[in-house]
Amino acid sequence: MSRSADLSQRGKLTWYGDADFSTFMRRAFAKGMGLTDQDLEKPVIGIANSWSELNHCNSHLREVAAAVKRGVLQEGGIPLEFPTISLGELFISPTSMFLRNLMAMDTEEMIRAQPIDGVVLLAGCDKTTPAQLMGAVSADVPAVMVTGGPMLTGRWRGRDLGACTDCRRLWTEYRAGNLNQDEISEVEGLLFRSHGHCTVMGTASSMASVAEALGMTLPNNAAIPAPDSARLRHAEDAGRRIVHMIEEGLRPSMIVTRASIENAIRVLCAIAGSTNGIVHLLAIARRAGIPLDLADFDRISRESPLLANVKPSGDYQMAELFEAGGISAVMKELLPQLNAEAMTVTGKTVGENLAGTPGTLRDDVIARVDKPFDTEGGLSVLYGNLAPDGAVIKHAAATPALLQHTGRAVVFTSLEDMARRVHDPDLDVTPQDVLVLQNAGPIGGPGMPEAGMIPIPKKLLEQGIRDMVRISDARMSGTAFGTVVLHIAPEAAVGGPLLAVRDGDLVELDVSGRRITLHVAEEEIARRVAESGLPERDPQLRRGYGWLHAEHVTQANHGCDFDFAWSIA
Ligand code: FES
C-alpha cells in the first residue's frame, strides 16, 4: 500500500510551518465541500480532465468523468475532478504544439502538488493525450488514461466522410473548382456528427492507440466511439482499477519502459499512424529516462507489418477498426513481435491481457499478421545533407511514384511567404518541382505548425495535379496525406541546411535509400547559411511562455519537449 497523500494524512501539506494546522485547515476546507470524516480516510483519486467548450474533441469528457467517479466510489475511493489546460486543434493559435509542453507541465505539477493518491487522465484531441502522458510519467503517481474516442463517421451524398482526411481532400477539390460554394458549405455541416476526436488514423487516434500499446490504458480503449455506451463502461472500469493500482503501488515508471515504448512504436507503424506520434513518443521516452532516437523508429517500421487499412493511408475509419477488434486485435496479431512481458495498468503483462483476445474480426480492416497489407510499417526516417539529424515521411500515405524523385526546388521562406505566393498564377512551378517550406520548425514556427502538407498551387490543381514532393521543418496533421517530408532537423531557424535551399536547386528524395539530398556543394551550403543569418525573434517570443519556449524547446528528433523536462535520473 503506497498511499501517502489522502486528505487526513500529512503528505503533500500546504506549508505553514505547522503540520497540524495545515492538516486541520485542509480537512476543514474538504468538509466545506461536503466531504465527511469517512470520506477523508479514503484514497483520493484525482481526475485530470481536459474537458473544454473550446475543444470540440474533448467536449464530452465531463460525462466520461462521471463514469470514472462511479467506478472509484464502487471500490472505496474518493474521486475529485480537476481541470487541466485543454488544447483544441482548431481553436488554438498559432498551433496547439506550441502549448503541448505547457499542458504537460500543468498536468505534472498539479498531479504532484495536490493531495491525490492516483490519477485518471481524460484526454482526446491530438496534443491533450501526449501532454497528459508526459506529465504523468514525470509525476510518477499511479495513473490510468481514458481517451475520449472517435466521433461518429459523417456521410455526404452516399459517401463516408473521414474527419479530417476528407476535409482536406474536399477543400482541395473546392480550390480546384470541382466543388461549388453550396457544396462545400453542405460538407461543412456534415463532417462532425458528434463529440469525440477525428475519425481517421490522425494524431488523436494514433496517440490513443499509442497510450493503449504503452499499457497506460485498459485494453480496448482507443477505438470505442465517443458516443458509444461502451466508452462510459470502459471509463467506469478505469475508475475501479485506479483504486487497486494505488494499493499495488503500480506507477508509470513500472509501465513506461523501453519494452513498452518499443511496443508503442511497433503499433504506431502497424497502423500507419501519425508522424506526430514519433515526436510525442520521443518526448515521453526522454521524460521516462529511456534512450530512444529516430533510428529506432525506422528499424521498427522496417520490421513491422502494416496491419490497419484506415484513412489517410487506407480505406476505413476508426468505426470499422472498432468493429474489427480495435487496437487489442492489432496487438494480438502483432504479439509475436511485441514485448509480451511489458507491464500494463491492469497489473498484468501485455501477453496476459491478450491471452483471451481474438485476433482480427474483419481482415479487410485489420490484416492477419501472415497476410499484411504491406510487409513494412508506414513510416520512414530519412537522413542526408538536408537533414543531418533526421526527417520523417509517412510513405504509406504518399504517392508511390514520387518516393524516388529529383526535382527543382520552389522555396517559401516562411508560412506568410507561402500563404502569399503559393497560389500566385505567376509562380514558376511545375508538377515535377519540389515545394520547400523554411522556418516552420519548433522555434521558427513557432511550435512546428501542421503546415507541412504545403498546398498544391492552384494552377497545378486545375491541371489535375494532386500530389508533389514537399519538404519542410514543419509537422503535418495525422489526417493529412501526400509525399511530404517533415520534421527536418536541425530546423532552418537554428541554421539547419534547409535554410540554404534556393529556388532552382535540385533536391533528391530517395525513400528506399532513406536519403534526402540537396545537390549543392557543402561549402556553398555553409556559405548560404552564414549569409542568411538567423531570423529575428518575434516580439511575442521575447517574454513569458514564448520566451521559455524559444529558449528551451528541443528539435524534432528529440521530441520538442523542453530540455529541462527530461528525466534527470
Ligand atoms: Fe481534435 Fe482532430 S481536431 S482530434
Side-chain angles (χ1 to χ4, degrees):
M1 186 87 167
S2 67
R3 287 176 53 204
S4 61
D6 68 62
L7 295 171
S8 69
Q9 295 187 3
R10 295 188 173 206
K12 296 188 180 180
L13 284 177
T14 309
W15 287 6
Y16 290 118
D18 178 343
D20 290 334
F21 176 69
S22 295
T23 304
F24 160 70
M25 289 292 279
R26 175 168 290 170
R27 288 174 61 89
F29 272 96
K31 286 183 174 177
M33 293 190 292
L35 298 178
T36 63
D37 283 326
Q38 287 76 14
D39 291 330
L40 298 184
E41 297 305 315
K42 294 177 178 176
V44 180
I45 310 303
I47 301 174
N49 198 345
S50 56
W51 168 88
S52 166
E53 287 184 334
L54 281 166
N55 186 350
H56 159 276
C57 310
N58 294 18
S59 60
H60 59 306
L61 291 184
R62 287 201 290 196
E63 193 183 357
V64 176
V68 171
K69 288 177 186 175
R70 289 197 296 274
V72 170
L73 291 166
Q74 285 162 16
E75 295 303 303
I78 284 293
L80 295 176
E81 185 180 348
F82 63 95
T84 67
I85 292 171
S86 192
L87 303 172
E89 285 298 301
L90 277 300
F91 295 87
I92 295 284
S93 178
T95 173
S96 63
M97 186 65 180
F98 179 62
L99 298 172
R100 181 203 64 177
N101 297 346
L102 185 63
M103 181 173 173
M105 290 171 71
D106 171 14
T107 305
E108 173 187 348
E109 297 306 332
M110 295 315 288
I111 292 173
R112 183 175 285 126
Q114 297 176 125
I116 58 178
D117 300 291
V119 63
V120 179
L121 308 162
L122 301 188
C125 197
D126 293 14
K127 305 306 176 297
T128 59
T129 303
Q132 287 194 336
L133 287 171
M134 290 159 67
V137 161
S138 293
D140 204 25
V141 165
V144 58
M145 171 168 273
V146 178
T147 56
M151 62 185 127
L152 293 176
T153 303
R155 298 274 297 166
W156 183 57
R157 300 187 179 180
R159 291 170 42 194
D160 281 352
L161 291 174
C164 237
T165 301
D166 290 315
C167 319
R168 297 170 198 285
R169 203 181 297 282
L170 293 172
W171 184 257
T172 300
E173 295 308 318
Y174 169 66
R175 276 273 192 218
N178 296 331
L179 253 60
N180 63 33
Q181 183 61 50
D182 288 345
E183 289 170 320
I184 198 74
S185 298
E186 212 177 303
V187 169
E188 186 181 286
L190 295 171
L191 275 164
F192 303 103
R193 282 180 58 208
S194 73
H195 50 241
H197 60 68
C198 288
T199 58
V200 301
M201 193 53 79
T203 304
S205 300
S206 298
M207 288 311 299
S209 305
V210 158
E212 185 170 335
L214 273 176
M216 286 297 292
T217 75
L218 295 179
N220 301 314
N221 167 75
I224 303 170
D228 193 314
S229 60
R231 173 66 53 197
L232 299 180
R233 293 194 295 275
H234 179 90
E236 190 175 305
D237 288 344
R240 277 195 292 273
R241 178 62 198 142
I242 187 67
V243 179
H244 298 290
M245 287 176 69
I246 293 164
E247 292 165 2
E248 295 159 13
L250 184 55
R251 292 174 288 115
S253 56
M254 301 154 84
I255 296 169
V256 180
T257 60
R258 175 81 195 187
S260 68
I261 290 274
E262 288 203 359
N263 286 346
I265 298 172
R266 210 169 282 284
V267 167
L268 183 72
C269 294
I271 59 178
S274 167
T275 45
N276 287 319
I278 298 174
V279 177
H280 300 318
L281 271 167
L282 287 163
I284 291 165
R286 275 160 179 67
R287 281 182 173 241
I290 298 165
L292 187 73
D293 59 41
L294 285 174
D296 292 304
F297 288 84
D298 197 67
R299 172 181 57 81
I300 293 172
S301 186
R302 285 178 193 258
E303 296 168 358
S304 303
L306 180 64
L307 296 182
N309 181 14
V310 179
K311 290 182 178 189
S313 52
D315 300 321
Y316 295 108
Q317 308 205 47
M318 290 301 282
E320 288 82 17
L321 192 86
F322 178 56
E323 280 174 35
I327 293 303
S328 291
V330 174
M331 292 178 72
K332 182 73 172 191
E333 294 293 338
L334 271 179
L335 189 55
Q337 291 189 7
L338 295 178
N339 296 304
E341 76 290 354
M343 180 49 62
T344 75
V345 291
T346 63
K348 297 178 184 161
T349 64
V350 166
E352 289 168 338
N353 286 346
L354 293 173
T357 304
T360 178
L361 303 175
R362 273 187 63 173
D363 59 13
D364 57 330
V365 182
I366 299 174
R368 295 187 195 288
V369 73
D370 54 350
K371 281 192 182 168
F373 297 119
D374 199 337
T375 51
E376 284 195 12
L379 303 169
S380 304
V381 176
L382 311 171
Y383 292 96
N385 68 348
L386 247 182
D389 293 336
V392 304
I393 182 170
K394 185 174 181 174
H395 62 258
T399 301
L402 289 175
L403 295 176
Q404 312 294 134
H405 182 82
T406 301
R408 203 180 55 132
V410 176
V411 180
F412 302 102
T413 57
S414 66
L415 285 160
E416 295 77 12
D417 182 41
M418 181 179 83
R420 196 167 50 244
R421 295 194 298 120
V422 70
H423 296 303
D424 185 337
D426 294 328
L427 183 70
D428 179 14
V429 64
T430 73
Q432 291 72 41
D433 290 340
V434 173
L435 303 180
V436 178
L437 173 63
Q438 300 166 327
N439 294 309
I443 292 173
M448 265 184 115
E450 291 186 334
M453 186 185 171
I454 301 168
I456 303 293
K458 193 164 188 293
K459 68 180 184 184
L460 299 184
L461 284 176
E462 287 165 355
Q463 295 169 24
I465 303 303
R466 292 293 180 271
D467 195 12
M468 295 171 68
V469 174
R470 289 162 271 183
I471 70 170
S472 73
D473 46 13
R475 294 177 302 116
M476 169 174 93
S477 165
T479 64
F481 49 87
T483 312
V484 183
V485 176
L486 303 154
H487 307 187
I488 286 181
E491 64 177 307
V494 298
L498 182 66
L499 186 61
V501 187
R502 300 287 183 267
D503 283 337
D505 289 345
L506 284 185
V507 174
E508 181 180 359
L509 172 64
D510 171 14
V511 173
S512 61
R514 301 298 200 257
R515 305 290 298 169
I516 179 84
T517 307
L518 176 64
H519 285 285
V520 171
E522 296 306 313
E523 312 76 58
E524 176 62 10
I525 292 175
R527 191 194 66 73
R528 290 181 188 176
V529 167
E531 178 188 87
S532 297
L534 298 185
E536 202 177 317
R537 195 179 283 181
D538 187 286
Q540 277 196 342
L541 304 179
R542 292 190 201 141
R543 61 160 298 281
Y545 179 76
W547 175 87
L548 184 73
H549 187 277
E551 290 290 313
H552 291 285
V553 73
T554 55
Q555 291 292 291
N557 59 309
H558 293 300
C560 300
D561 199 2
F562 293 145
D563 50 10
F564 57 78
W566 291 353
S567 168
I568 53 171

